Amino acid sequence: MEKPKKRVTFKTPPTKRKKETEIPHLTESIETESGRVRVTVIGDRKKPSLFTYHDIGVNHRSCFLPFFKHPEARLVFSRFCVYHIDAPGQEDGATAMDSSQPYPDLEQLVYQVSQILVHYKVDKFIAFGVGAGMTIFLHYAVRYPEQVVGFIGIGGSASQAGFIEWGKFKTLLGSLSVFGMSEAVANRFVNRYLHEITRKVKPDLVVAFSKEVLSRKAVNLHKFVNAYVNRTDVSDKLKRIKCPVILFTGKGSTHAEEILQLSHKFAQPSQVSILEIQNKSTLMLIEDPSVIIDPLCLFLGGLGYFIRLSRHEQEASSDESDYSDSQEYSEEDEEHDNEDKSNSDLIELKQVNTLNTSG
């Protein structure tokens, strides 16, 4: 008898836990001047704040949670209270917006972030944006540089859409308007998220992200993509950003050439680290979390967060790096280990010697 095929979704690996405690977890819709925004808060709000913003076609669950639940990343980011922002209409369970309903433009999306900070009484935070989320946070850091103490970006843009990009997105928007969600539309997004090699060797991710994109409401996705493609250029204003910045780009991926040239746009090029990762694309944090975890540890260490992993934890993490085939993730399953490290042999993470990582 033929074995039934595994159902693949965005998942997290099973881990051996000595002691488990529940992480505070709050999801709420916040009213802003340009509409309601869903925010998921994970962690103790007394800890330093880290805000995330996702790319087009996905939301915080599919863009970030698999990465944050990776064993090594979970140990690193358990030091923070993480605020996940879902763009309007992109959250799970969102209802279809009326086609005539106004949608925030990119600058209004940026201002929504400011209102969310006021709601949670957060004065300073680390920004972590992917794709469109990186672009939104770049605009935010330009407008409110005193509030952003660290910037992590993957695969976004500081400039307005060029003619080729604008044309491609206009074609995509036309397809969404006329035909709604389709496999062709989903494939366009999957090609943005995943490198060609990843698509060949990890077909489960292709299936999972295709289903994820198809789960969006066509009109809602149209509105978010339209806001992103009509963004303004802030590349000449990046010198206003004073905090340390680390940017990742996949070699040959969308906006790769632009990102590699951004360092001289900042007030001090030394404040910016740019890493080009081979064989990875915009969602490299899902393709292979390990390629960005060590650089992020070093970056956070430079911000004053001394992060060290025990040898036992590193060995356990290395055996569980491929989490795409393990048990299905539930948003309510927000647990982590608070193991006693008093007798652990701690190993300080060492500096990464190369910017080009093949995978």
Side-chain angles (χ1 to χ4, degrees):
M1 173 181 266
E2 184 181 354
K3 294 182 179 179
K5 294 182 179 180
K6 292 183 295 183
R7 181 169 62 90
V8 180
T9 55
F10 297 96
K11 305 161 185 177
T12 185
T15 57
K16 297 179 180 179
R17 298 184 174 99
K18 291 182 179 179
K19 182 172 61 176
E20 298 179 344
T21 58
E22 184 177 351
I23 299 178
H25 184 179
L26 170 69
T27 298
E28 60 181 329
S29 293
I30 297 174
E31 189 68 47
T32 71
E33 292 181 6
S34 52
R36 300 187 70 83
V37 182
R38 182 174 296 181
V39 181
T40 300
V41 185
I42 300 175
D44 186 346
R45 289 178 57 189
K46 295 179 182 179
K47 294 181 178 181
S49 300
L50 185 147
F51 279 70
T52 75
Y53 214 118
H54 56 85
D55 195 14
I56 51 177
V58 288
N59 57 26
H60 88 276
R61 174 184 51 77
S62 48
C63 187
F64 286 103
L65 289 191
F67 171 73
F68 279 101
K69 289 180 70 65
H70 184 274
E72 292 182 37
R74 183 173 56 211
L75 290 166
V76 172
F77 290 99
S78 64
R79 278 78 169 172
F80 301 89
C81 181
V82 181
Y83 299 76
H84 294 291
I85 301 174
D86 284 329
Q90 313 308 306
E91 69 275 9
D92 289 335
T95 57
M97 297 177 169
D98 190 284
S99 58
S100 62
Q101 179 181 345
Y103 193 85
D105 61 23
L106 193 128
E107 294 305 318
Q108 289 174 314
L109 293 174
V110 170
Y111 188 56
Q112 284 182 342
V113 175
S114 175
Q115 294 177 290
I116 291 169
L117 262 71
V118 171
H119 176 84
Y120 289 110
K121 299 180 180 180
V122 173
D123 296 323
K124 298 180 184 300
F125 70 100
I126 296 171
F128 189 172
V130 173
M134 169 180 157
T135 299
I136 290 169
F137 276 147
L138 279 176
H139 283 244
Y140 189 93
V142 163
R143 183 183 291 186
Y144 307 103
E146 71 285 350
Q147 293 184 339
V148 184
V149 298
F151 190 100
I152 304 166
I154 304 176
S157 174
S159 64
Q160 67 184 56
F163 181 76
I164 295 177
E165 182 188 6
W166 183 87
K168 289 181 177 179
F169 272 120
K170 285 301 180 181
T171 301
L172 175 63
L173 290 172
S175 297
L176 282 170
S177 297
V178 176
F179 303 109
M181 300 305 298
S182 66
E183 291 292 341
V185 167
N187 289 339
R188 290 282 298 276
F189 283 98
V190 171
N191 291 343
R192 171 186 176 89
Y193 303 148
L194 307 176
H195 189 273
E196 179 182 4
I197 292 178
T198 302
R199 298 198 301 269
K200 289 180 179 179
V201 301
K202 294 186 177 181
D204 56 328
L205 284 182
V206 174
V207 173
F209 275 111
S210 294
K211 290 181 177 179
E212 180 68 14
V213 174
L214 290 170
S215 72
R216 303 274 85 79
K217 295 294 188 293
V219 63
N220 300 10
L221 181 57
H222 183 287
K223 290 175 181 291
F224 185 32
V225 172
N226 188 62
Y228 174 63
V229 75
N230 287 294
R231 62 188 182 269
T232 57
D233 191 330
V234 294
S235 57
D236 290 335
K237 300 177 182 179
L238 296 181
K239 59 178 64 69
R240 298 179 186 176
I241 300 176
K242 306 303 180 184
C243 68
V245 176
I246 184 168
L247 304 177
F248 297 87
T249 182
K251 186 175 179 63
S253 64
T254 306
H255 305 307
E257 292 186 8
E258 177 194 345
I259 291 174
L260 293 173
Q261 300 299 320
L262 279 183
S263 61
H264 71 280
K265 296 285 188 177
F266 289 84
Q268 299 180 2
S270 60
Q271 80 186 90
V272 186
S273 298
I274 300 177
L275 286 75
E276 183 181 43
I277 311 298
Q278 296 183 25
N279 302 330
K280 299 294 178 285
S281 196
T282 305
L283 288 189
M284 62 179 69
L285 73 169
I286 306 298
E287 291 181 282
D288 185 359
S290 64
V291 300
I292 71 170
I293 288 176
D294 278 4
L296 286 183
C297 284
L298 292 169
F299 176 74
L300 294 171
L303 295 179
Y305 304 103
F306 188 54
I307 297 172
R308 302 195 304 178
L309 303 180
S310 72
R311 178 176 288 111
H312 171 73
E313 290 165 338
Q314 287 183 328
E315 290 174 351
S317 297
S318 65
D319 292 336
E320 298 166 340
S321 60
D322 187 2
Y323 55 87
S324 60
D325 291 327
S326 48
Q327 296 179 354
E328 183 173 351
Y329 169 71
S330 166
E331 281 196 30
E332 296 179 356
D333 180 27
E334 289 299 337
E335 302 172 337
H336 78 307
D337 300 331
N338 287 325
E339 298 185 3
D340 182 4
K341 298 182 180 63
S342 59
N343 296 322
S344 298
D345 182 12
L346 295 178
I347 304 173
E348 185 174 355
L349 291 172
K350 297 182 179 179
Q351 185 170 3
V352 177
N353 295 320
T354 178
L355 299 184
N356 292 322
T357 303
S358 59

